[in-house]
């Protein structure tokens, strides 16, 4: 047999012990209050004779033991790894490991084959407390609070929710299009949540769970809200918090935030102050970000994008708007209609407004019924929200 590491993650797991004679569980009462830090490793095992035998996997838990300051000063290592548990997974190779935190407990979520297992750590072993079987090979699992976003290289996205009351995973909606998803992520602005996925045609698509929408088929289908051609291949979409320009441009952001909250008690509670964007790297060495915008800023920048595309000369006489149009998949079974949702601002295009002369800026601003100061302010916020480091 040949065993290869497929995924690895660092997480805290809550140790839970079952009470004798009771089906309910409670946290272990001990002097060492807190969760245990683990390095979790998921592997895939392939039989040496080929594919006559289905592949399987393993989950390895390495406990991280940290040394105190006295031992470190004496020359000891800062931390040590010790293998404390291993579990065989027969559903398939372990492709995803995540941490589910709910009601003060942290559990391990394992994606292997077509199964999603929620495992609880206690008494030196992992115990399954919940599961879900999908009709696809699970490639990745994205967690947002108690919501699960499953992605597959052939069957697009599944949207699940974890219910702590009965410890169950329930399917809320899914995308019925046969999209080969290479990476998936979550965008949020206030109470609104959007799912973004990247496919084999270098597109980005944005979905929402909208049970009341007519296109949702009674709430069983994820509704596509926007799409854009990225023009680069990526395999991971990571989240970052979108910061305000007031904090990014401050030398002391902590004290600035405290001062802003003292002046305005509602600062930090608005939708624009509670935004999560995604950033990614491409296979050709590029780096990009996707951030959510409020409606007034979006329509202002959309009008600016349309005017700039017509007013400025493009490289090699290429049309930037045509470049960003969604490319359809060549796979059979794709039933998506010919309507492109668009709905995404090309940041590389609108940021050219800052390099124009003042006269050109005023002409373009008057063409869309806005002012130069307001447009520049939107572009500054756009740039600051895209900063990851």
């Amino acid at each position: 047999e040949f065993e290869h590491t497929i995924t690895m993650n660092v997480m805290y797991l809550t140790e839970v012990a079952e009470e004798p004679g009771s089906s309910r569980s409670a946290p272990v009462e001990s002097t060492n209050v807190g969760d245990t830090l683990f390095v979790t490793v998921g592997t895939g095992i392939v039989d040496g004779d080929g594919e006559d035998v289905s592949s399987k996997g393993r989950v390895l838990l390495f406990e991280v033991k940290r040394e105190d300051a006295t031992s470190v000063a004496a020359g000891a290592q800062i931390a040590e790894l010790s293998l404390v548990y291993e579990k065989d997974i027969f559903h398939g190779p372990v492709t995803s490991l995540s941490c589910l935190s709910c009601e003060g407990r942290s559990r391990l979520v394992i994606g292997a084959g077509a199964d999603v297992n929620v495992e609880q750590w206690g008494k030196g072993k992992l115990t399954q407390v919940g599961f879900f079987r999908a009709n696809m090979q699970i490639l990745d699992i994205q967690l947002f609070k108690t919501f699960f976003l499953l992605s597959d290289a052939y069957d697009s996205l599944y949207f699940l929710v974890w219910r702590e009351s009965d410890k169950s995973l329930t399917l809320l909606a899914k995308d019925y299009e046969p999209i080969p998803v290479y990476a998936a992520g979550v965008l949020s602005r206030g109470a609104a949540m959007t799912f973004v996925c990247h496919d084999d045609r270098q597109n980005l698509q944005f979905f929402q769970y909208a049970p009341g929408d007519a296109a949702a088929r009674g709430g069983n289908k994820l509704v596509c809200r926007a799409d854009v051609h990225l023009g680069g291949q990526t395999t991971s979409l990571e989240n970052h918090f979108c910061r305000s320009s007031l904090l990014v441009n401050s030398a002391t952001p902590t004290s600035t935030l405290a001062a802003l909250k003292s002046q305005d008690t509602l600062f930090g509670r608005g939708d624009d102050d509670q935004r999560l964007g995604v950033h990614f790297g491409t296979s050709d060495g590029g780096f990009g970000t996707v951030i959510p915008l409020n409606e007034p800023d979006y329509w202002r920048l959309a009008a600016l994008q349309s005017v700039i595309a017509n007013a400025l000369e493009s490289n090699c006489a290429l049309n930037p708007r045509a470049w960003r149009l969604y490319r359809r998949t060549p796979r059979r079974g794709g039933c998506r209609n010919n309507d492109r949702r668009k709905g995404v601002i090309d940041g590389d295009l609108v940021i050219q407004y800052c390099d124009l002369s003042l006269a050109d800026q005023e002409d373009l601003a008057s063409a869309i019924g806005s002012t130069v100061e307001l447009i520049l302010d939107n572009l500054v916020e756009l740039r600051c929200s895209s900063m990851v480091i």
Side-chain angles (χ1 to χ4, degrees):
E1 294 183 343
F2 301 94
E3 185 174 12
H4 302 275
T5 299
I6 299 178
T7 181
M8 182 175 64
N9 203 349
V10 181
M11 65 184 71
Y12 285 94
L13 297 180
T14 303
E15 186 172 358
V16 178
E18 294 186 358
E19 298 178 356
S22 174
S23 59
R24 299 185 66 182
S25 57
V28 176
E29 297 293 340
S30 62
T31 57
N32 186 14
V33 180
D35 300 336
T36 306
L37 181 62
F38 289 98
V39 176
T40 58
V41 179
T43 67
I45 302 175
V46 181
D47 190 81
D49 297 329
E51 298 182 356
D52 294 337
V53 180
S54 60
S55 59
K56 54 185 180 180
R58 283 199 308 163
V59 174
L60 308 176
L61 294 185
F62 294 90
E63 183 179 356
V64 180
K65 297 181 179 179
R66 298 178 178 178
E67 301 292 341
D68 54 13
T70 305
S71 302
V72 173
Q77 295 181 351
I78 299 177
E80 293 182 357
L81 290 179
S82 58
L83 178 63
V84 295
Y85 184 73
E86 57 181 282
K87 183 174 185 178
D88 293 328
I89 305 296
F90 299 100
H91 309 304
V94 180
T95 55
S96 177
L97 293 173
S98 305
C99 180
L100 171 64
S101 297
C102 183
E103 295 186 3
R105 296 178 182 177
S106 299
R107 299 185 176 97
L108 177 63
V109 179
I110 302 174
D115 288 4
V116 179
N117 296 332
V118 180
E119 305 278 348
Q120 187 169 271
W121 174 250
K123 296 184 178 180
K125 64 178 182 179
L126 288 174
T127 304
Q128 180 177 315
V129 295
F131 74 95
F132 177 81
R133 177 173 288 271
N135 296 325
M136 65 177 186
Q137 179 78 20
I138 298 171
L139 177 66
D140 188 26
I141 301 177
Q142 293 288 333
L143 267 65
F144 187 81
K145 296 183 178 180
T146 58
F147 297 101
F148 288 60
L149 184 65
L150 314 183
S151 60
D152 178 43
Y154 288 94
D155 292 321
S156 195
L157 302 176
Y158 277 53
F159 182 47
L160 315 176
V161 63
W162 167 259
R163 304 187 190 278
E164 183 67 25
S165 58
D166 56 355
K167 293 181 173 56
S168 65
L169 280 170
T170 306
L171 176 64
L172 296 179
K174 66 177 183 178
D175 180 34
Y176 289 87
E177 298 293 334
I179 302 174
V181 178
Y182 283 11
V186 178
L187 293 172
S188 71
R189 178 180 173 270
M193 182 170 56
T194 303
F195 313 120
V196 53
C197 68
H198 182 267
D199 59 23
D200 62 333
R201 302 288 287 179
Q202 301 179 355
N203 301 308
L204 286 178
Q205 295 188 70
F206 301 84
F207 296 90
Q208 277 189 342
Y209 174 61
D213 198 301
R217 301 180 183 177
N220 298 322
K221 184 178 184 297
L222 293 176
V223 181
C224 182
R225 297 300 191 189
D227 53 49
V228 67
H229 180 67
L230 183 62
Q233 202 70 61
T234 183
T235 57
S236 179
L237 297 174
E238 301 294 334
N239 283 107
H240 71 273
F241 181 73
C242 298
R243 295 174 295 173
S244 171
S245 61
L246 299 176
L247 301 178
V248 171
N249 298 321
S250 173
T252 56
T254 304
S255 60
T256 302
L257 179 60
L260 291 172
K261 288 184 176 180
S262 63
Q263 296 176 3
D264 184 4
T265 57
L266 298 179
F267 182 82
R269 299 182 182 180
D271 290 345
D272 286 338
D273 300 324
Q274 301 175 0
R275 293 184 297 167
L276 279 180
V278 296
H279 59 272
F280 54 87
T282 62
S283 57
D284 55 1
F287 183 82
T289 58
V290 181
I291 61 173
L293 295 174
N294 58 51
E295 190 170 356
D297 291 350
Y298 167 76
W299 288 114
R300 186 179 299 110
L301 294 179
L304 179 64
Q305 175 180 259
S306 178
V307 171
I308 287 181
N310 295 326
L312 300 185
E313 295 182 358
S314 58
N315 296 330
C316 303
L318 299 176
N319 191 338
R321 288 186 294 181
W323 167 250
R324 295 301 181 185
L325 290 179
Y326 175 82
R327 266 73 162 171
R328 299 177 183 85
T329 177
R331 286 185 54 193
R332 297 185 62 183
C335 55
R336 176 172 173 175
N337 54 27
N338 293 328
D339 295 336
R340 293 184 171 95
R341 300 292 181 180
K342 301 181 182 178
V344 180
I345 303 298
D346 187 355
D348 291 336
L349 183 60
V350 297
I351 205 67
Q352 296 180 20
Y353 183 84
C354 300
D355 299 329
L356 300 178
S357 63
L358 180 58
D360 292 337
Q361 290 180 352
E362 291 177 347
D363 290 341
L364 295 179
S366 61
I368 63 174
S370 183
T371 62
V372 176
E373 292 76 12
L374 186 56
I375 294 176
L376 291 178
D377 183 66
N378 292 153
L379 295 178
V380 168
E381 290 291 341
L382 188 68
R383 177 58 62 89
C384 293
S385 300
S386 302
M387 293 183 179
V388 178
I389 301 177

